[in-house]
Amino acid sequence: MKNPIYTITRTILVILLLGTSAKTNAQKTINFEIADFNEVIELKGEKLHLEDPLMDPTGIILSDTLFFISNKGTDLAVDVISINSGKTISRFCKNGRGPGELIGPFSKQYNYEEKDFMIEDAVGQKIVFYDLDMILADAPKKYNKVVHFKDSVMVHRVVKLKDGNFFCNLIGHKDGYMNCLLSSEGELVKFLDKYPKIKFPFNPEEGVNIFGPRLGISSSLDKVIMPYDYSGLISVYSYTGEKILEFIGPDYKELDLVYRNGSTSLTTRNISTYNFPCSNSESFMVPYCGDNIRSAHTPAYHIFHFGFDGSILQHFKLDHFVTDIAVDWENNIIYGINLDLEPCIYKFKF
Protein backbone atom coordinates (compact mmCIF):
# COMPACT_ATOMS: atom_id res chain seq x y z
CA MET A 1 0.00 0.00 0.00
CA LYS A 2 1.32 3.45 -0.92
CA ASN A 3 2.26 5.88 1.80
CA PRO A 4 -0.60 8.44 2.09
CA ILE A 5 1.91 11.27 2.64
CA TYR A 6 3.64 10.30 -0.64
CA THR A 7 0.28 10.29 -2.43
CA ILE A 8 -0.70 13.74 -1.09
CA THR A 9 2.71 15.20 -1.92
CA ARG A 10 2.61 13.80 -5.44
CA THR A 11 -0.91 15.19 -5.98
CA ILE A 12 0.16 18.67 -4.82
CA LEU A 13 3.18 18.53 -7.15
CA VAL A 14 0.98 17.62 -10.13
CA ILE A 15 -1.42 20.49 -9.33
CA LEU A 16 1.49 22.94 -9.09
CA LEU A 17 2.92 21.75 -12.39
CA LEU A 18 -0.46 22.06 -14.11
CA GLY A 19 -0.89 25.53 -12.68
CA THR A 20 2.54 26.58 -13.94
CA SER A 21 1.79 25.16 -17.39
CA ALA A 22 -1.54 26.99 -17.58
CA LYS A 23 0.15 30.23 -16.56
CA THR A 24 2.87 29.76 -19.18
CA ASN A 25 0.37 29.18 -21.97
CA ALA A 26 -1.99 32.01 -20.93
CA GLN A 27 -2.69 34.62 -23.56
CA LYS A 28 -1.38 38.12 -22.90
CA THR A 29 -3.51 41.04 -24.14
CA ILE A 30 -2.08 44.53 -24.73
CA ASN A 31 -4.49 47.43 -25.22
CA PHE A 32 -2.63 50.47 -26.54
CA GLU A 33 -3.02 53.92 -28.05
CA ILE A 34 -0.63 56.05 -30.14
CA ALA A 35 0.31 57.99 -27.00
CA ASP A 36 1.67 54.80 -25.40
CA PHE A 37 4.75 54.97 -27.66
CA ASN A 38 7.51 57.00 -26.02
CA GLU A 39 7.97 59.18 -29.11
CA VAL A 40 7.19 59.48 -32.79
CA ILE A 41 10.40 58.94 -34.78
CA GLU A 42 10.27 60.67 -38.16
CA LEU A 43 12.14 58.88 -40.96
CA LYS A 44 13.17 60.33 -44.31
CA GLY A 45 13.19 57.93 -47.23
CA GLU A 46 15.89 57.57 -49.86
CA LYS A 47 14.68 56.29 -53.23
CA LEU A 48 16.75 53.36 -54.48
CA HIS A 49 18.11 53.36 -58.02
CA LEU A 50 16.95 50.27 -59.89
CA GLU A 51 18.20 49.37 -63.37
CA ASP A 52 14.83 47.99 -64.49
CA PRO A 53 11.47 49.55 -63.60
CA LEU A 54 9.26 47.67 -61.15
CA MET A 55 6.12 46.17 -62.64
CA ASP A 56 3.14 46.01 -60.25
CA PRO A 57 4.82 45.05 -56.96
CA THR A 58 2.72 43.59 -54.16
CA GLY A 59 5.41 42.39 -51.74
CA ILE A 60 9.09 42.62 -50.82
CA ILE A 61 11.33 40.07 -49.08
CA LEU A 62 14.97 40.65 -48.12
CA SER A 63 17.71 38.00 -48.02
CA ASP A 64 21.28 39.24 -47.50
CA THR A 65 21.91 41.42 -50.58
CA LEU A 66 18.85 40.31 -52.56
CA PHE A 67 15.31 41.61 -52.87
CA PHE A 68 12.53 39.24 -53.88
CA ILE A 69 9.80 41.42 -55.38
CA SER A 70 6.45 39.79 -56.06
CA ASN A 71 4.34 41.23 -58.87
CA LYS A 72 0.72 41.05 -59.87
CA GLY A 73 -0.36 40.08 -63.38
CA THR A 74 3.08 39.21 -64.78
CA ASP A 75 4.11 35.98 -66.50
CA LEU A 76 6.95 35.47 -64.02
CA ALA A 77 5.61 36.53 -60.63
CA VAL A 78 8.86 37.18 -58.71
CA ASP A 79 11.84 39.40 -59.59
CA VAL A 80 15.21 38.91 -57.86
CA ILE A 81 17.07 42.24 -57.57
CA SER A 82 20.61 42.86 -56.35
CA ILE A 83 20.60 45.57 -53.67
CA ASN A 84 24.23 46.47 -54.47
CA SER A 85 23.82 46.97 -58.23
CA GLY A 86 20.08 47.60 -58.56
CA LYS A 87 19.98 45.05 -61.38
CA THR A 88 17.32 42.38 -61.85
CA ILE A 89 19.37 39.19 -61.89
CA SER A 90 16.63 36.59 -62.18
CA ARG A 91 12.90 36.03 -62.51
CA PHE A 92 10.91 32.96 -61.53
CA CYS A 93 7.47 31.56 -60.61
CA LYS A 94 5.80 31.02 -63.97
CA ASN A 95 2.06 31.41 -64.24
CA GLY A 96 0.32 28.35 -65.64
CA ARG A 97 -0.93 24.86 -64.96
CA GLY A 98 2.18 22.88 -65.83
CA PRO A 99 4.70 21.23 -63.46
CA GLY A 100 6.00 23.77 -60.93
CA GLU A 101 3.72 26.51 -62.31
CA LEU A 102 1.14 28.46 -60.33
CA ILE A 103 -2.33 29.63 -61.35
CA GLY A 104 -2.67 32.21 -58.57
CA PRO A 105 0.63 33.01 -56.77
CA PHE A 106 -0.26 34.40 -53.35
CA SER A 107 1.60 34.28 -50.03
CA LYS A 108 5.38 33.94 -50.15
CA GLN A 109 8.14 33.09 -47.68
CA TYR A 110 11.92 32.79 -47.89
CA ASN A 111 13.40 30.05 -45.69
CA TYR A 112 16.91 31.09 -44.68
CA GLU A 113 18.24 27.74 -43.45
CA GLU A 114 17.02 25.71 -46.43
CA LYS A 115 17.71 28.61 -48.85
CA ASP A 116 14.45 28.05 -50.66
CA PHE A 117 11.54 30.27 -51.59
CA MET A 118 8.01 29.08 -50.84
CA ILE A 119 5.03 30.33 -52.86
CA GLU A 120 1.41 29.41 -52.27
CA ASP A 121 -0.92 28.85 -55.20
CA ALA A 122 -4.23 30.13 -53.82
CA VAL A 123 -6.18 28.83 -56.83
CA GLY A 124 -4.35 25.55 -57.30
CA GLN A 125 -4.33 24.90 -53.49
CA LYS A 126 -0.68 23.93 -53.29
CA ILE A 127 2.77 25.22 -52.31
CA VAL A 128 5.77 25.24 -54.63
CA PHE A 129 9.32 25.39 -53.21
CA TYR A 130 12.02 27.02 -55.36
CA ASP A 131 15.72 26.44 -54.75
CA LEU A 132 17.80 29.64 -54.46
CA ASP A 133 20.84 28.19 -56.27
CA MET A 134 18.62 27.07 -59.16
CA ILE A 135 17.00 30.53 -59.27
CA LEU A 136 20.33 32.38 -59.37
CA ALA A 137 21.74 29.96 -61.95
CA ASP A 138 18.61 30.48 -64.07
CA ALA A 139 18.23 26.71 -64.30
CA PRO A 140 15.45 25.39 -66.59
CA LYS A 141 13.84 23.78 -63.55
CA LYS A 142 13.91 26.04 -60.48
CA TYR A 143 11.52 24.23 -58.14
CA ASN A 144 12.38 21.17 -56.06
CA LYS A 145 9.19 20.33 -54.16
CA VAL A 146 5.40 20.70 -54.41
CA VAL A 147 2.96 20.17 -51.52
CA HIS A 148 -0.74 19.85 -52.34
CA PHE A 149 -3.44 20.81 -49.85
CA LYS A 150 -6.19 18.32 -49.20
CA ASP A 151 -9.81 19.01 -50.16
CA SER A 152 -10.90 19.19 -46.50
CA VAL A 153 -9.43 22.71 -46.12
CA MET A 154 -9.49 25.79 -48.35
CA VAL A 155 -6.27 27.65 -47.59
CA HIS A 156 -6.12 31.43 -47.88
CA ARG A 157 -2.58 32.23 -46.64
CA VAL A 158 0.17 29.98 -45.32
CA VAL A 159 3.52 30.15 -43.50
CA LYS A 160 5.99 27.36 -42.82
CA LEU A 161 6.87 26.65 -39.17
CA LYS A 162 10.06 25.45 -37.52
CA ASP A 163 8.77 21.88 -37.11
CA GLY A 164 8.00 21.63 -40.84
CA ASN A 165 4.25 22.06 -40.38
CA PHE A 166 2.24 24.92 -41.90
CA PHE A 167 0.07 27.52 -40.20
CA CYS A 168 -2.79 28.53 -42.50
CA ASN A 169 -5.53 31.12 -42.68
CA LEU A 170 -8.61 29.55 -44.19
CA ILE A 171 -10.89 31.09 -46.78
CA GLY A 172 -13.53 29.76 -44.44
CA HIS A 173 -14.95 26.54 -43.06
CA LYS A 174 -18.51 25.29 -42.64
CA ASP A 175 -18.01 25.19 -38.86
CA GLY A 176 -16.50 28.68 -38.72
CA TYR A 177 -12.83 27.79 -38.27
CA MET A 178 -10.48 30.62 -39.23
CA ASN A 179 -7.06 28.93 -38.98
CA CYS A 180 -5.51 25.48 -38.99
CA LEU A 181 -2.24 23.58 -38.84
CA LEU A 182 -1.25 21.33 -41.74
CA SER A 183 1.53 18.74 -41.76
CA SER A 184 4.58 19.05 -44.00
CA GLU A 185 2.69 16.90 -46.53
CA GLY A 186 -0.44 19.06 -46.51
CA GLU A 187 -2.55 16.86 -44.22
CA LEU A 188 -4.79 18.48 -41.59
CA VAL A 189 -3.20 18.40 -38.12
CA LYS A 190 -5.88 20.38 -36.28
CA PHE A 191 -8.27 23.29 -36.65
CA LEU A 192 -7.53 26.31 -34.46
CA ASP A 193 -9.68 29.30 -33.42
CA LYS A 194 -12.95 30.30 -35.06
CA TYR A 195 -14.00 33.61 -36.57
CA PRO A 196 -15.06 36.24 -33.99
CA LYS A 197 -18.75 36.65 -33.32
CA ILE A 198 -20.42 39.59 -35.07
CA LYS A 199 -23.90 41.08 -34.87
CA PHE A 200 -25.08 39.74 -38.26
CA PRO A 201 -25.09 36.20 -39.68
CA PHE A 202 -22.46 35.45 -42.32
CA ASN A 203 -21.36 32.54 -44.44
CA PRO A 204 -18.46 31.01 -42.45
CA GLU A 205 -17.07 29.45 -45.64
CA GLU A 206 -16.33 32.97 -46.90
CA GLY A 207 -15.34 34.51 -43.57
CA VAL A 208 -12.02 35.86 -44.81
CA ASN A 209 -13.93 38.45 -46.87
CA ILE A 210 -15.12 40.11 -43.67
CA PHE A 211 -12.18 39.76 -41.30
CA GLY A 212 -9.25 40.10 -43.72
CA PRO A 213 -6.40 38.58 -41.69
CA ARG A 214 -2.81 39.02 -42.87
CA LEU A 215 -0.06 36.56 -41.93
CA GLY A 216 3.64 36.70 -41.06
CA ILE A 217 6.26 34.51 -39.41
CA SER A 218 9.17 35.24 -37.06
CA SER A 219 12.68 34.65 -38.40
CA SER A 220 12.98 31.77 -35.90
CA LEU A 221 9.78 30.25 -37.40
CA ASP A 222 8.32 29.74 -33.93
CA LYS A 223 5.80 32.62 -33.80
CA VAL A 224 3.02 33.49 -36.25
CA ILE A 225 1.90 37.12 -36.49
CA MET A 226 -1.65 37.72 -37.73
CA PRO A 227 -2.67 41.37 -38.13
CA TYR A 228 -6.23 42.10 -39.20
CA ASP A 229 -7.13 44.74 -41.72
CA TYR A 230 -10.08 46.97 -40.67
CA SER A 231 -10.28 46.01 -36.96
CA GLY A 232 -6.98 47.17 -35.39
CA LEU A 233 -6.10 43.78 -33.97
CA ILE A 234 -2.87 41.73 -34.06
CA SER A 235 -2.79 38.13 -32.82
CA VAL A 236 0.42 36.20 -32.17
CA TYR A 237 0.47 32.39 -32.08
CA SER A 238 3.05 29.83 -31.06
CA TYR A 239 4.17 27.38 -33.75
CA THR A 240 1.97 24.74 -32.10
CA GLY A 241 -1.12 26.88 -32.70
CA GLU A 242 -1.81 28.48 -29.29
CA LYS A 243 -2.67 32.18 -29.26
CA ILE A 244 -0.10 33.68 -26.88
CA LEU A 245 -0.36 37.43 -27.42
CA GLU A 246 -2.79 40.01 -28.73
CA PHE A 247 -2.32 43.73 -29.43
CA ILE A 248 -5.56 45.73 -29.56
CA GLY A 249 -5.32 49.28 -30.92
CA PRO A 250 -4.86 52.04 -31.64
CA ASP A 251 -8.43 53.40 -31.60
CA TYR A 252 -9.84 49.89 -31.81
CA LYS A 253 -13.41 49.76 -33.12
CA GLU A 254 -15.91 47.02 -33.83
CA LEU A 255 -16.38 46.26 -37.51
CA ASP A 256 -18.99 48.42 -39.26
CA LEU A 257 -21.26 45.99 -41.10
CA VAL A 258 -24.41 46.01 -43.20
CA TYR A 259 -26.84 43.13 -43.74
CA ARG A 260 -28.71 43.17 -47.05
CA ASN A 261 -30.46 40.47 -49.06
CA GLY A 262 -29.32 37.76 -46.70
CA SER A 263 -25.63 38.74 -46.87
CA THR A 264 -23.33 40.57 -44.46
CA SER A 265 -20.59 42.86 -45.78
CA LEU A 266 -18.21 45.59 -44.62
CA THR A 267 -19.11 49.23 -45.14
CA THR A 268 -16.71 51.91 -46.40
CA ARG A 269 -16.74 53.43 -42.91
CA ASN A 270 -14.23 50.83 -41.76
CA ILE A 271 -10.60 51.99 -41.66
CA SER A 272 -7.69 50.09 -43.16
CA THR A 273 -5.33 49.30 -40.32
CA TYR A 274 -2.45 46.83 -40.66
CA ASN A 275 -0.54 45.34 -43.57
CA PHE A 276 1.93 42.42 -43.53
CA PRO A 277 4.46 42.29 -40.68
CA CYS A 278 8.24 41.78 -40.89
CA SER A 279 9.96 40.05 -37.98
CA ASN A 280 13.18 38.92 -36.38
CA SER A 281 13.21 36.39 -33.52
CA GLU A 282 12.42 38.93 -30.77
CA SER A 283 10.09 41.52 -32.32
CA PHE A 284 8.16 42.58 -35.41
CA MET A 285 7.31 45.70 -37.38
CA VAL A 286 4.02 46.27 -39.15
CA PRO A 287 2.81 49.12 -41.43
CA TYR A 288 -0.26 50.98 -40.15
CA CYS A 289 -2.66 53.07 -42.25
CA GLY A 290 -5.62 54.32 -40.16
CA ASP A 291 -7.56 55.90 -43.05
CA ASN A 292 -10.88 55.02 -44.67
CA ILE A 293 -9.20 53.39 -47.65
CA ARG A 294 -9.94 49.93 -48.98
CA SER A 295 -7.41 48.79 -51.53
CA ALA A 296 -5.16 45.85 -52.30
CA HIS A 297 -2.29 48.33 -51.77
CA THR A 298 -3.01 49.98 -48.41
CA PRO A 299 -0.78 53.08 -48.17
CA ALA A 300 0.84 53.41 -44.73
CA TYR A 301 2.78 56.39 -43.37
CA HIS A 302 3.30 54.69 -40.00
CA ILE A 303 5.23 51.62 -38.86
CA PHE A 304 4.74 50.17 -35.38
CA HIS A 305 7.40 48.05 -33.69
CA PHE A 306 6.31 45.52 -31.04
CA GLY A 307 8.12 42.92 -28.95
CA PHE A 308 6.99 39.32 -28.63
CA ASP A 309 7.02 39.90 -24.87
CA GLY A 310 4.17 42.39 -25.33
CA SER A 311 6.34 45.51 -25.28
CA ILE A 312 5.44 48.62 -27.30
CA LEU A 313 8.79 49.61 -28.76
CA GLN A 314 8.80 52.22 -31.53
CA HIS A 315 6.51 54.34 -33.68
CA PHE A 316 8.02 55.47 -37.00
CA LYS A 317 6.40 58.14 -39.16
CA LEU A 318 7.52 58.07 -42.81
CA ASP A 319 7.76 60.93 -45.29
CA HIS A 320 6.73 58.56 -48.13
CA PHE A 321 4.04 55.92 -47.80
CA VAL A 322 4.78 52.20 -48.07
CA THR A 323 2.55 49.27 -48.88
CA ASP A 324 4.86 46.44 -47.84
CA ILE A 325 8.16 46.34 -45.95
CA ALA A 326 11.34 44.31 -45.47
CA VAL A 327 13.72 45.05 -42.57
CA ASP A 328 17.50 44.78 -42.41
CA TRP A 329 17.65 44.28 -38.64
CA GLU A 330 21.45 44.19 -38.48
CA ASN A 331 21.94 47.54 -40.24
CA ASN A 332 18.74 49.24 -38.99
CA ILE A 333 17.17 49.79 -42.41
CA ILE A 334 13.52 49.53 -43.45
CA TYR A 335 12.86 48.98 -47.16
CA GLY A 336 9.36 49.80 -48.38
CA ILE A 337 7.43 49.56 -51.64
CA ASN A 338 5.87 52.84 -52.77
CA LEU A 339 3.23 53.02 -55.52
CA ASP A 340 2.95 56.79 -55.93
CA LEU A 341 3.05 57.45 -59.70
CA GLU A 342 5.79 54.94 -60.66
CA PRO A 343 6.42 51.97 -58.32
CA CYS A 344 9.72 52.23 -56.43
CA ILE A 345 11.54 51.18 -53.26
CA TYR A 346 12.42 53.59 -50.47
CA LYS A 347 15.13 53.04 -47.88
CA PHE A 348 14.57 54.36 -44.34
CA LYS A 349 17.38 54.29 -41.75
CA PHE A 350 16.23 54.01 -38.14
Side-chain angles (χ1 to χ4, degrees), residues 8 34 57 66 74 80 86 89 102 109 116 150 161 269 337:
I8 294 171
I34 293 287
L66 298 176
T74 56
V80 184
I89 58 177
L102 293 89
Q109 177 182 340
D116 62 20
K150 303 304 180 275
L161 307 170
R269 289 186 291 272
I337 291 176

Side-chain angles (χ1 to χ4, degrees), residues 3 77 94 121 129 136 148 156-158 168 176 183 249 259 262 287 303 313 332:
N3 187 326
K94 184 175 177 58
D121 186 347
F129 289 86
L136 297 180
H148 292 270
H156 179 58
R157 301 189 194 278
V158 58
C168 306
S183 73
Y259 184 72
I303 294 176
L313 298 175
N332 295 337

Side-chain angles (χ1 to χ4, degrees), residues 107-123:
S107 59
K108 302 165 183 70
Q109 177 182 340
Y110 180 73
N111 301 305
Y112 295 89
E113 289 190 7
E114 292 87 354
K115 292 190 180 299
D116 62 20
F117 199 90
M118 183 188 89
I119 304 182
E120 172 203 1
D121 186 347
V123 179

Side-chain angles (χ1 to χ4, degrees), residues 153 159 161 163 165-170 179-184 186-192 224 237-242:
V153 293
V159 290
L161 307 170
D163 60 1
N165 285 351
F166 301 103
F167 183 105
C168 306
N169 287 148
L170 301 176
N179 303 311
C180 75
L181 291 180
L182 298 181
S183 73
S184 59
E187 299 279 359
L188 177 67
V189 174
K190 62 179 176 180
F191 288 112
L192 303 176
V224 177
Y237 296 80
S238 71
Y239 73 97
T240 53
E242 290 81 21

Side-chain angles (χ1 to χ4, degrees), residues 201-268:
F202 68 99
N203 180 358
E205 295 186 272
E206 299 175 355
V208 71
N209 294 331
I210 295 176
F211 298 99
R214 317 291 195 179
L215 206 59
I217 184 73
S218 64
S219 61
S220 47
L221 306 185
D222 63 342
K223 296 179 187 68
V224 177
I225 311 117
M226 194 175 78
Y228 293 74
D229 203 357
Y230 316 131
S231 63
L233 188 68
I234 304 173
S235 300
V236 179
Y237 296 80
S238 71
Y239 73 97
T240 53
E242 290 81 21
K243 189 186 290 185
I244 57 176
L245 182 61
E246 198 155 63
F247 293 93
I248 302 176
D251 300 322
Y252 172 80
K253 295 178 182 177
E254 296 289 335
L255 291 174
D256 193 84
L257 303 165
V258 63
Y259 184 72
R260 291 196 188 101
N261 301 321
S263 177
T264 297
S265 59
L266 295 160
T267 73
T268 55

Side-chain angles (χ1 to χ4, degrees), residues 271-288:
I271 64 171
S272 289
T273 55
Y274 295 110
N275 213 322
F276 291 95
C278 186
S279 171
N280 59 17
S281 61
E282 303 296 329
S283 64
F284 66 94
M285 293 187 187
V286 59
Y288 176 78

